[in-house]
Amino acid sequence: MNEQINPWLDWAVELQALAQAGLQYSKDPFDRERFQQVRDIAAKMMARKTGLSLEKVKDLFCSETGYQTPKLDTRAAVFQDGNILLVQENTGRWSLPGGWVDVNVSVLENVVKEVREEAGLEVIPQRVIAIQDREKHNRPVYAWKVCKIFVLCALAGGEFQPNIETTASAYFPLEALPPLAEEKNTEEQIRLCFEASRAAVWETRMD
């Protein structure tokens, strides 16, 4: 899935990143004004191509300061009797427990937190399965870069608890996966988790 879907998106993302860096590091007021204009143009490109309102695009796409870096998303692979844990989203589709890494926790702490919040389980992170560039694997492509980190975890206890993010949890064999929230995880990514769980030695896969 690494083919170029839409060059407009890449151009808008690159313009936004350049403008954000310019706004962060430039001291000259005239340069800052020009960088802001570039950022506005990038937002207009994104709004025209996605159909979102300009205000929504600016809120999602142009609200950060500092040097732009990818957002971090963690996904936990938890197994029981050879089956993988998935949680059911409010949309009805299923995903590996996970989400954005909060600013006050590490990657592994976030893995533990997300499993606890979404599945009610306590886990122990064991190995990093893969570090992926999201847009090479998941659709739709976002207006910002995302680094996805898949972590194999050992189950330590707990049980599912009702929460605002998920409606159920269950373990599934690879051959009978439910409808997936593919913007978060695909069958290919879950297959990779199965491979890691069965391997005596595993080398982290990286894009």
Side-chain angles (χ1 to χ4, degrees):
M1 295 183 68
N2 57 1
E3 71 274 12
Q4 189 177 36
I5 298 299
N6 192 335
W8 276 62
L9 182 64
D10 289 339
W11 297 335
V13 168
E14 188 171 358
L15 284 172
Q16 143 62 21
L18 290 170
Q20 184 172 313
L23 288 169
Q24 174 69 18
Y25 296 113
S26 295
K27 304 302 181 185
D28 186 280
F30 295 103
D31 286 341
R32 291 181 59 82
E33 182 179 359
R34 293 184 183 94
F35 281 122
Q36 185 58 56
Q37 289 174 341
V38 172
R39 195 177 211 188
D40 290 341
I41 291 170
K44 290 175 182 177
M45 291 172 64
M46 187 66 65
R48 174 65 66 89
K49 210 63 182 173
T50 62
L52 296 173
S53 70
L54 183 59
E55 292 75 17
K56 184 68 172 177
V57 168
K58 286 186 174 181
D59 181 53
L60 292 173
F61 188 47
C62 302
S63 60
E64 296 185 7
T65 59
Y67 190 82
Q68 187 166 1
T69 60
K71 297 180 182 293
L72 289 176
D73 173 84
T74 63
R75 295 288 147 183
V78 185
F79 288 85
Q80 187 174 67
D81 298 326
N83 297 327
I84 197 166
L85 173 71
L86 298 177
V87 292
Q88 188 172 38
E89 309 275 343
N90 291 321
T91 61
R93 295 189 172 271
W94 295 75
S95 69
L96 298 168
W100 299 125
V101 177
D102 289 337
V103 296
N104 60 341
V105 297
S106 69
V107 166
L108 294 188
E109 288 169 342
N110 198 74
V111 171
V112 173
K113 179 181 72 69
E114 290 291 334
V115 177
R116 182 186 301 123
E117 290 177 351
E118 296 187 356
L121 302 178
E122 298 296 330
V123 296
I124 302 171
Q126 294 183 311
R127 63 170 61 152
V128 176
I129 299 169
I131 302 173
Q132 294 185 342
D133 178 350
R134 181 192 175 279
E135 70 179 40
K136 293 181 179 180
H137 302 272
N138 302 85
R139 295 289 177 265
V141 173
Y142 289 162
W144 52 87
K145 287 284 189 176
V146 179
C147 178
K148 294 181 69 67
I149 304 175
F150 295 83
V151 180
L152 182 66
C153 299
L155 180 62
E159 61 182 17
F160 180 78
Q161 300 293 331
N163 63 86
I164 61 173
E165 296 185 74
T166 60
T167 58
S169 70
Y171 291 89
F172 295 90
L174 181 59
E175 301 76 21
L177 295 176
L180 298 175
E182 294 197 337
E183 73 279 5
K184 297 180 179 180
N185 45 224
T186 63
E187 182 177 339
E188 177 188 15
Q189 289 166 327
I190 291 176
R191 184 181 301 275
L192 189 64
C193 294
F194 271 92
E195 291 178 14
S197 73
R198 295 165 178 167
V201 178
W202 181 260
E203 182 175 343
T204 301
R205 309 291 174 83
M206 295 183 288
D207 288 333

